[in-house]
Amino acid sequence: QVQLVESGGGLVQAGGSLRLSCVASTSIDSFVTMGWYRQAPGKQRELVATITSGDSADYGDFVKGRFTISRDNAKDTVYLQMNSLRPEDTAVYYCNARLTVFSLLRDYWGQGTQVTVSS
């Protein structure tokens, strides 16, 4: 069982920045991917960014160079640096870890952290 604990959310004005952190309860060295998803009220959960064990990153189309995902294997932590935040970025942000368990891919989720961007 993998536990993920997010932190770093909060209230920020439009144009501001936040850095989210997600700490895993176990070594992330062998994780297939770690990433961030978000869900706004009344909307489906969507991909924000993922990063592989080889540090290859993928981003949602809406990110447009504003966000950067990174990982620190020594700290079992993945980060999401969010710059130039917009009101439409307001959502609950969830950390995700994807592992191979008995040859099957399995997803683990954090409890979520609220990000609110005021106009």
Side-chain angles (χ1 to χ4, degrees):
Q1 187 76 8
V2 176
Q3 294 181 333
L4 304 171
V5 179
E6 303 106 329
S7 61
L11 174 63
V12 64
Q13 288 188 332
S17 299
L18 285 173
R19 189 175 83 152
L20 305 183
S21 300
C22 171
V23 181
S25 60
T26 186
S27 172
I28 67 172
D29 290 2
S30 61
F31 286 12
V32 176
T33 61
M34 290 195 75
W36 293 92
Y37 291 72
R38 72 184 189 183
Q39 187 166 19
K43 295 188 177 182
Q44 290 188 333
R45 191 172 295 190
E46 62 180 348
L47 168 71
V48 177
T50 60
I51 187 167
T52 70
S53 56
D55 283 338
S56 177
D58 187 29
Y59 296 92
D61 290 342
F62 61 86
V63 170
K64 297 187 185 303
R66 299 182 298 130
F67 299 174
T68 302
I69 190 170
S70 61
R71 59 193 286 164
D72 185 338
N73 286 2
K75 296 182 178 180
D76 298 322
T77 299
V78 65
Y79 303 99
L80 183 69
Q81 178 67 44
M82 303 187 294
N83 300 326
S84 302
L85 283 162
R86 306 165 179 167
E88 54 264 39
D89 293 318
T90 295
V92 178
Y93 284 69
Y94 295 92
C95 181
N96 169 266
R98 177 163 289 179
L99 292 73
T100 302
V101 181
F102 299 113
S103 302
L104 298 175
L105 287 177
R106 182 168 180 176
D107 285 315
Y108 294 87
W109 297 92
Q111 80 287 354
T113 186
Q114 177 70 46
V115 171
T116 303
V117 184
S118 63
S119 57

